[in-house]
Amino acid sequence: MGEEENLDGIASRIISKIKHYLIVSLGRSVEDAYDEEFYRSFVWALREVIMANWAATNHAFNDQKVRKLHYLSMEYMPGRQLLNNITNISAQDIVHLVLKKMNRPLERIVNIEHDIGIGNGGLGRLASCLLDSLATQQYPAMGYGLRYQYGIFEQKISHGQQIETPDNWLIMDNPWEVRRDFHAMPVQFRGQLSENTNDHGDQVYGLSNHEEVRAIPYDYPIIGYQPSSDFTVLTLRLWSTKESPRNFSLQCYNAGELGHAAENTSLTDVLYPNDNHEMGKRVRLKQEFLLVSASLQDIIAQHQQVFGSMDAFADKVRIQINDTHPALVVAELMRLLTNEYNIPWGRALEMTRCSCSYTNHTLLKEALEEWNISRVQDQLPRQHKIIERINDEFCNQIRQKYQGDEERINRMSILHGDQIRMAHLAIVGSHKVNGVAKLHSELLKHEVFKDFYELWPDKFTNVTNGVTQRRWLMLANPKLTEFIDKRIGIEWRCDFTQISKLAEFANDSKSQEEFLQIKSENKQKLLHVLCQQMEQHPSNSSANCDVILPPTALFDIQIKRFHEYKRQIMNVLHAIMVYQELKANKDCRQVPRLILIGGKAAPGYTIAKATIRLIYAVGRKINHDNDTNHKLKICFFENYNVSAAEVIIPAADLSEQISTAGMEASGTGNMKLSMNGALTIGTEDGANIEMHEAVTDKWWPFSFGSTAEENFSTRHDPAGILQSDPKIKAALCTLIDGTFATNSEEQKSFEILHQDLATVDRYRVLKDITPYYEAQKKVEELFTQPKKWAEYAIHNMAGMGTFSTDESIKNYATKLWDLTPCPPDPKEIARIRTESQSISA
């Protein structure tokens, strides 16, 4: 926050500003203010510090007329912002001094803040890490998303059953956001088409009698890390339909059509509404188009303000389509260019492809988003026509190159049957397509999008995911950060490849002891949080504080959204196998193990919800069995989110990365856990493979399971496995023999799980559970040697250097965007600060 002033002087100025905001904005004195009021005024005071940088950053982008990235994502997971922003402006010492002088404990103030509820899992957290790295490396960029009023949901567990309740993250004003009504954008749905031609003879479409929704933007500052005061501040712009009364249909309301009256007002209510019914599908489609339409209008408005015309658009604008959700960018940009800006169709298609690139995040066919043609035609009639024309021209292109190969055309067509394949639209409309791990990218090229790769081999590339070490080490694990700083300096904070130097200390006895002590303290902190959760919801917990294992136990962690391919069920079956062994011989295991599982299941995902119910039931039985509960516990962490991860990850001994090989695109939790000193038990899947290569075989001891190639090429026979392996059969039978079910609802849920595993087992749980079981024995053997375990853990940390989003962003900037950094001018920052101080004075 500036090295030229002493801490006392800066602290006194901030204290004055806090008092000012308390009186002027809230009518409260500092002595009378509640913590919530103090938090809000504290943030306003800190926000003043960054505002000059925010303005100067935008001035630099505009004045230098740089090429700029626009990142579109349906979700982000920023977590809490206060500590992250304090860290990134290097203001920890000043903040501690301010709060000490004002007699307000930091922890109490931090806990006032809610996690920003606009994401769910790895996709959203990756997007937030990428924005952090873009800002830290001072690239010209801006993020776009939606401001979900109630998040995805707040997860409550009631006797093992997931209950979705609203995530009230906006229950009080968010002092970090800035509402920008001047930049509100109209978004149009439905209506009657009218056909016209532009000046070039291209058919364009007008729309009458349409629904119009007003999207209001809320801007969040994304602060780049800098030890000096010249930090970059990027913008994350979130669109909302909730706050505009124009979006409420009073005519429908008065006609008794209450649902339809509020539909457009509620478009930004919930992330990923349940689409098991027509309204959910319709709202999801409208959400995606809302993001695309409002953002594109904003992008074009910004471009024209700087350049005065659309002539340089293809050169200066880069748009990143993060997964298929924003793929309608291709159709809507084509419409805007040909209709609103009178650009010839062929040139518009060139401009669209030059500007757009697409990141694929999945290998699962069912996750490659498709939209029903009739639904798109009804809600987005103009965009439907444009997609039809893009597809017709694309299919003709294929016919010319592969004459007579109609089957290839069917495989590659954007329109297929009654569906629009959004991934195909994104590929056709982009100049680059990337996967997010080497294996993932190879599978895209040679399996999922094989035909497209043969047509456009240069279009496909790889950018392996990463995480930001500033959030996931500096902020989440300050004691481990100090441990690293003492040994290798602080350069790793902005150049994570420097972490490799830590390997020199892996076999140092004092370093091992200090590492183990830090891990023990972090585990104690997690136990405290677990006990708080159990005390707050005693009827919803499968354990209580009296039966939680001590920090000396192995903390075995699996934290991720629930999906069958992530195989939380395999973790549970292993726990059942260990439990059965302990019942037969309570001395057969030397290592006490606490299994902690956290994550949310989609509201309509029956099997995922049944798995959560099973975890609860198994924990209820095991945790209260006095024969075994000194050696084995299993707990479910309710409402897992970023703030929870910041407590859980530093405490982890073992990182569960056990997805079916060939199914996980990359993973990022694996990276966070490894850089915090957890060892990985995992399949050769996603980024696990590259992490394994970086750490080397010697220090990556718990790899197991079939490879992706084996999974794709070999037949799986679950019934045969059950017949030949009594241990697996005995564990699986507990799902139907009443061992864990205590009522008919549980019995029904567990029977569904049993039936699926015993007859289909699409994700090959039974195929891999024996090697998983054997790998877990190796885990326990190594854990009995604490210093040896620490040596492995430090080597794993040292191998994580390339798994920072700083590295990912450099690769994106080089391979996809051709961006160069554009830092704000320090003189401009100083000028704006001086000006603002003179006004406030």
Side-chain angles (χ1 to χ4, degrees):
M1 288 179 63
E3 299 171 1
E4 65 281 357
E5 296 183 70
N6 63 58
L7 289 183
D8 271 322
I10 300 173
S12 296
R13 201 167 71 243
I14 292 174
I15 289 170
S16 296
K17 289 182 182 297
I18 293 171
K19 291 178 178 178
H20 171 79
Y21 280 120
L22 279 168
I23 289 293
V24 172
S25 299
L26 300 173
R28 304 284 283 179
S29 70
V30 69
E31 296 81 12
D32 298 333
Y34 294 115
D35 282 344
E36 291 84 354
E37 295 167 326
F38 182 88
Y39 160 77
R40 195 177 305 179
S41 298
F42 180 44
V43 169
W44 284 333
L46 285 178
R47 207 176 72 170
E48 274 197 30
V49 176
I50 70 163
M51 281 301 191
N53 294 63
W54 203 352
T57 297
N58 288 322
H59 290 177
F61 296 166
N62 294 341
D63 293 346
Q64 297 182 39
K65 298 184 184 297
V66 293
R67 178 176 293 144
K68 184 177 175 183
L69 168 70
H70 307 269
Y71 193 89
L72 271 65
S73 180
M74 281 295 286
E75 59 170 298
Y76 298 85
M77 282 192 77
R80 292 171 173 167
Q81 291 300 283
L82 179 57
L83 282 183
N84 188 68
N85 291 344
I86 290 169
T87 299
N88 281 4
I89 63 175
S90 301
Q92 297 95 321
D93 293 341
I94 293 168
V95 166
H96 282 290
L97 182 58
V98 167
L99 294 179
K100 182 179 179 182
K101 284 174 177 284
M102 301 190 80
N103 196 29
R104 299 275 179 162
L106 177 62
E107 184 177 1
R108 208 169 73 203
I109 300 305
V110 167
N111 286 334
I112 298 297
E113 186 176 17
H114 292 264
D115 278 43
I116 295 176
I118 57 172
N120 178 35
L123 182 73
R125 187 53 236 172
L126 172 68
S128 293
C129 282
L130 290 172
L131 290 185
D132 177 279
S133 288
L134 280 162
T136 297
Q137 296 182 68
Q138 303 188 308
Y139 283 107
M142 184 170 180
Y144 289 95
L146 297 181
R147 183 179 179 265
Y148 303 104
Q149 189 77 16
Y150 306 114
I152 184 165
F153 58 83
E154 183 172 336
Q155 181 191 55
K156 303 287 188 184
I157 303 298
S158 177
H159 301 288
Q161 188 172 359
Q162 174 180 286
I163 307 296
E164 299 92 27
T165 64
D167 177 357
N168 293 313
W169 70 283
L170 286 172
I171 197 165
M172 65 178 188
D173 292 341
N174 189 319
W176 290 110
E177 68 182 11
V178 180
R179 178 167 165 162
R180 310 276 194 189
D181 285 68
F182 179 76
H183 298 290
M185 293 295 171
V187 179
Q188 296 172 347
F189 299 100
R190 308 193 72 187
Q192 296 173 342
L193 277 178
S194 59
E195 296 186 3
N196 300 293
T197 56
N198 63 15
D199 292 347
H200 311 282
D202 297 313
Q203 198 163 52
V204 294
Y205 301 95
L207 200 63
S208 59
N209 299 322
H210 52 267
E211 296 178 8
E212 185 164 290
V213 175
R214 185 168 183 254
I216 298 175
Y218 289 77
D219 288 356
Y220 284 76
I222 306 298
I223 303 169
Y225 174 79
Q226 281 287 330
S228 71
S229 59
D230 301 333
F231 50 87
T232 288
V233 182
L234 300 181
T235 301
L236 172 59
R237 178 158 289 177
L238 303 177
W239 302 102
S240 173
T241 61
K242 193 70 176 176
E243 301 297 328
S244 177
R246 296 186 194 178
N247 298 333
F248 184 77
S249 175
L250 191 59
Q251 285 184 322
C252 289
Y253 181 83
N254 288 334
E257 300 172 7
L258 304 187
H260 190 66
E263 182 173 304
N264 288 334
T265 302
S266 64
L267 289 183
T268 56
D269 273 6
V270 177
L271 168 63
Y272 302 143
N274 189 350
D275 61 356
N276 289 348
H277 46 73
E278 174 56 32
M279 192 188 81
K281 291 181 173 69
R282 185 174 67 249
V283 169
R284 276 206 187 195
L285 175 62
K286 293 173 81 169
Q287 281 185 336
E288 293 181 4
F289 184 68
L290 176 79
L291 169 63
V292 162
S293 176
S295 301
L296 282 175
Q297 290 178 74
D298 193 58
I299 291 165
I300 290 172
Q302 289 184 44
H303 176 80
Q304 289 201 306
Q305 183 180 6
V306 174
F307 294 95
S309 75
M310 296 297 285
D311 294 346
F313 186 88
D315 180 45
K316 296 298 185 179
V317 172
R318 292 292 175 267
I319 300 169
Q320 189 64 30
I321 300 170
N322 190 35
D323 217 358
T324 52
H325 309 122
L328 284 165
V329 158
V330 175
E332 178 63 357
L333 183 54
M334 285 295 297
R335 186 194 71 79
L336 289 167
L337 293 176
T338 57
N339 197 341
E340 305 297 327
Y341 296 97
N342 198 31
I343 294 171
W345 175 272
R347 173 62 182 145
L349 189 55
E350 289 176 12
M351 291 170 67
T352 298
R353 284 176 172 159
C354 191
S355 297
C356 294
S357 48
Y358 161 52
T359 300
N360 173 277
H361 287 275
T362 186
L363 293 161
L364 301 176
K365 186 180 185 301
E366 61 268 28
L368 291 170
E369 197 170 40
E370 296 184 356
W371 283 113
N372 180 269
I373 291 174
S374 297
R375 188 174 295 111
V376 174
Q377 192 172 17
D378 176 59
Q379 294 296 322
L380 307 170
R382 295 175 296 178
Q383 292 72 24
H384 169 254
K385 288 288 188 182
I386 288 169
I387 291 170
E388 281 190 325
R389 179 169 176 182
I390 292 172
N391 187 61
D392 287 344
E393 292 185 359
F394 175 58
C395 289
N396 288 334
Q397 180 184 353
I398 304 169
R399 283 191 181 93
Q400 290 176 6
K401 186 172 179 66
Y402 303 100
Q403 294 183 12
D405 194 348
E406 287 299 314
E407 182 55 39
R408 182 184 293 265
I409 295 169
N410 288 334
R411 293 195 304 267
M412 298 180 72
S413 175
I414 298 168
L415 305 180
H416 181 71
D418 61 355
Q419 298 292 105
I420 301 174
R421 297 189 278 208
M422 303 308 289
H424 291 200
L425 177 63
I427 294 170
V428 171
S430 297
H431 73 280
K432 284 290 183 182
V433 177
N434 73 283
V436 290
K438 287 179 182 176
L439 174 63
H440 174 230
S441 295
E442 289 304 303
L443 290 171
L444 290 181
K445 291 191 291 188
H446 302 296
E447 298 288 341
V448 182
F449 301 133
K450 181 175 181 289
D451 294 318
F452 288 94
Y453 177 64
E454 289 175 357
L455 179 64
W456 292 313
D458 293 338
K459 184 175 282 198
F460 287 80
T461 189
N462 175 65
V463 179
T464 297
N465 281 344
V467 302
T468 168
Q469 67 273 23
R470 292 167 291 276
R471 182 76 182 229
W472 295 107
L473 263 178
M474 288 176 61
L475 192 154
N477 204 339
K479 291 185 177 179
L480 192 59
T481 295
E482 185 180 347
F483 171 90
I484 297 167
D485 287 349
K486 284 192 299 186
R487 286 159 178 81
I488 66 171
I490 65 171
E491 289 79 9
W492 62 271
R493 298 179 179 190
C494 289
D495 178 10
F496 203 51
T497 60
Q498 297 291 320
I499 200 72
S500 63
K501 296 176 181 177
L502 201 61
E504 299 171 18
F505 301 90
N507 64 356
D508 173 60
S509 180
K510 288 185 178 179
S511 294
Q512 292 167 359
E513 290 171 2
E514 186 177 345
F515 170 83
L516 292 169
Q517 179 59 33
I518 292 168
K519 183 65 73 174
S520 178
E521 291 174 15
N522 287 333
K523 289 161 84 170
Q524 192 64 59
K525 183 179 178 183
L526 172 57
L527 290 175
H528 176 70
V529 171
L530 279 174
C531 282
Q532 283 184 322
Q533 192 175 88
M534 292 168 189
E535 288 167 359
Q536 289 169 4
H537 309 288
S539 64
N540 299 342
S541 175
S542 56
N544 59 60
C545 292
D546 295 334
V547 296
I548 289 291
L549 291 170
T552 51
L554 173 72
F555 279 35
D556 179 353
I557 307 295
Q558 188 175 21
I559 39 174
K560 48 187 80 244
R561 68 182 175 87
F562 268 72
H563 196 288
E564 290 161 273
Y565 82 82
K566 294 179 184 289
R567 299 200 293 192
Q568 285 93 346
I569 189 74
M570 188 161 73
N571 193 347
V572 183
L573 287 175
H574 171 257
I576 294 170
M577 293 166 75
V578 173
Y579 174 62
Q580 290 175 327
E581 286 182 17
L582 287 169
K583 288 297 285 183
N585 177 6
K586 62 183 180 181
D587 297 320
C588 68
R589 296 279 175 150
Q590 300 304 309
V591 174
R593 182 189 294 257
L594 172 63
I595 300 170
L596 183 65
I597 301 174
K600 295 178 179 179
Y605 198 166
T606 302
I607 287 183
K609 284 186 159 183
T611 305
I612 291 175
R613 201 163 198 165
L614 178 64
I615 294 166
Y616 172 85
V618 171
R620 180 180 58 203
K621 178 85 170 182
I622 292 175
N623 298 344
H624 296 92
D625 189 328
N626 292 330
D627 292 338
T628 63
N629 62 17
H630 61 295
K631 288 288 179 69
L632 180 66
K633 300 290 191 310
I634 180 167
C635 297
F636 186 84
F637 196 99
E638 184 180 73
N639 201 43
Y640 174 69
N641 57 17
V642 174
S643 293
E646 290 168 354
V647 177
I648 296 170
I649 287 171
D653 292 311
L654 188 66
S655 166
E656 296 272 355
Q657 308 299 329
I658 57 177
S659 56
T660 310
M663 299 288 182
E664 183 72 83
S666 169
T668 52
N670 46 3
M671 302 167 190
K672 296 166 197 163
L673 285 153
S674 285
M675 65 173 58
N676 276 274
L679 298 187
T680 300
I681 182 167
T683 51
E684 293 295 292
D685 194 25
N688 288 358
I689 297 170
E690 291 159 75
M691 291 168 63
H692 185 169
E693 291 172 355
V695 173
T696 74
D697 285 342
K698 183 176 181 180
W699 305 111
W700 189 270
F702 310 134
S703 183
F704 75 93
S706 302
T707 65
E709 184 179 358
E710 289 168 343
N711 284 334
F712 288 131
S713 62
T714 60
R715 181 176 171 271
H716 176 44
D717 178 19
I721 291 173
L722 289 175
Q723 190 172 2
S724 62
D725 194 318
K727 187 179 292 186
I728 297 175
K729 184 176 181 180
L732 195 62
C733 280
T734 62
L735 274 61
I736 55 173
D737 66 7
T739 301
F740 300 113
T742 59
N743 57 59
S744 60
E745 285 295 315
E746 288 183 347
Q747 188 67 32
K748 183 179 178 181
S749 291
F750 303 162
E751 284 173 357
I752 291 171
L753 295 174
H754 180 276
Q755 175 72 9
D756 182 73
L757 290 171
T759 59
V760 181
D761 193 18
R762 177 184 172 188
Y763 298 99
R764 302 194 172 213
V765 172
L766 302 187
K767 180 76 167 15
D768 279 350
I769 196 165
T770 296
Y772 177 59
Y773 173 87
E774 295 300 328
Q776 289 282 16
K777 282 190 170 180
K778 293 179 184 177
V779 169
E780 295 186 6
E781 182 182 346
L782 184 60
F783 197 73
T784 60
Q785 308 168 68
K787 286 194 170 184
K788 179 61 71 175
W789 182 277
E791 182 179 10
Y792 274 77
I794 294 169
H795 273 295
N796 273 254
M797 291 168 59
M800 291 298 105
T802 59
F803 299 101
S804 165
T805 39
D806 294 348
E807 184 72 16
S808 304
I809 284 300
K810 288 175 186 175
N811 288 326
Y812 274 113
T814 302
K815 295 181 178 182
L816 279 75
W817 306 327
D818 194 18
L819 285 187
T820 54
C822 180
D825 183 352
K827 292 180 180 178
E828 178 72 354
I829 296 172
R831 183 191 69 77
I832 297 171
R833 281 213 178 111
T834 301
E835 185 178 296
S836 67
Q837 287 167 9
S838 66
I839 293 171
S840 62

